[in-house]
Each structure stands twice: as C-alpha cells, then as structure tokens.
Amino acid sequence: MLDTGFSILDGNVGYKTLEVWQLARDLVIDIHRMTIEKLPKFEMFEEGSQIRRSVKSVRSAIVEGYGRRAYKQDFIRFLTYAIASNDETRDHLETLRETGSLSDQKLYENLLERLDKLGRKLNLFIQSVENVHSSKK
C-alpha cells in the first residue's frame, strides 16, 4: 500500500498538497508557454489550443475528483479521466513533434518524460485510493 503521509479524506488537506496536482500544474504552465513561445503561429489555434485544453483537463479532473473524495468511485472516476486527458496530451505533443511544429527536441523529451511520470503517479494514486478509502460508494 502506498503511504501518502496523510489521509486523503482529511478535510484539512487540500488538493494543492497532492503531488499529482503539483505535477499537473507545472505541466499546464510549461505546455502553455511552449505553445506561445515555441510553436508556429498557425498552430496557436490548432494543435496548440488542443494541447492546452487537454493538459488543463488533467489538472481540473484531479481537483474535481478530490472534491468528490468522500465517494470512492467518483474519486477514482475523475482520476481515471485525468489519466485519459494525460494520454491525450501526450498524443498532442507527439503530433506536434511528428509534424515538425515542435522542433525543440530537448523540450519535447522533457515534457514527454514529465507526462509519463504524471501518468505513472496517477495510476499509483488510484491504487492508493482503492486500498485506503473505506467508502463503498
């Protein structure tokens, strides 16, 4: 069982203390900057817009799931949505690289590695919720 160091049901602990939320927040900021600073202008409202929306969905799903944490299945459902949006973000990033719109290989590799790390952490967090959460709801 994963020891998170606190109870996810503790009302005094906010979602901002969750490592998965912190990783998602940092990715939201860095991917937003990447789309503004590193992509061709025509991508601003095409793939750039898509990747910004999908990465923001990861963060938002974590927050919404946390807000429903009293209900185990709701919590897990929204964390699963976060994983799906993370996968979507990864796909958009790969598309940008494959089409040549994102030519900065180092940035691409950094973002891809961080998205993969977030996906792994979300999976571990779901396992923790499944094992620790007492609600059958």
Side-chain angles (χ1 to χ4, degrees):
M1 178 166 48
L2 181 65
D3 181 13
T4 59
F6 59 89
S7 169
I8 55 177
L9 299 177
D10 184 349
N12 296 323
V13 177
Y15 64 85
K16 290 182 179 184
T17 64
L18 299 175
E19 182 182 10
V20 289
W21 181 85
Q22 294 167 4
L23 292 170
R25 177 204 54 215
D26 292 345
L27 278 162
V28 165
I29 294 165
D30 291 344
I31 287 175
H32 183 84
R33 286 183 182 146
M34 177 269 295
T35 64
I36 303 297
E37 299 169 2
K38 299 288 186 176
L39 297 182
K41 294 298 176 205
F42 73 87
E43 285 289 16
M44 180 64 79
F45 301 106
E46 297 292 330
E47 201 68 27
S49 176
Q50 291 289 325
I51 196 170
R52 284 191 306 271
R53 280 198 297 267
S54 65
V55 76
K56 288 174 185 173
S57 290
V58 176
R59 178 178 163 171
S60 296
I62 293 166
V63 172
E64 189 163 358
Y66 184 83
R68 296 169 184 254
R69 70 192 175 281
Y71 303 97
K72 181 179 182 176
Q73 293 309 311
D74 279 354
F75 197 4
I76 292 170
R77 180 177 21 262
F78 280 94
L79 293 173
T80 302
Y81 294 158
I83 290 173
S85 292
N86 194 64
D87 289 346
E88 180 185 355
T89 303
R90 189 182 199 285
D91 184 64
H92 289 306
L93 184 65
E94 290 170 347
T95 299
L96 287 168
R97 183 71 184 139
E98 292 163 357
T99 60
S101 291
L102 178 59
S103 57
D104 186 331
Q105 182 68 25
K106 188 174 179 179
L107 177 60
Y108 167 77
E109 289 172 0
N110 175 272
L111 292 173
L112 193 63
E113 179 181 311
R114 290 165 57 201
L115 287 165
D116 288 346
K117 178 181 180 179
L118 178 56
R120 288 189 306 273
K121 296 275 186 179
L122 282 165
N123 276 306
L124 289 172
F125 191 50
I126 287 173
Q127 290 174 21
S128 176
V129 171
E130 287 174 338
N131 293 330
V132 174
H133 202 298
S134 59
S135 169
K136 302 274 188 216
K137 303 176 204 175

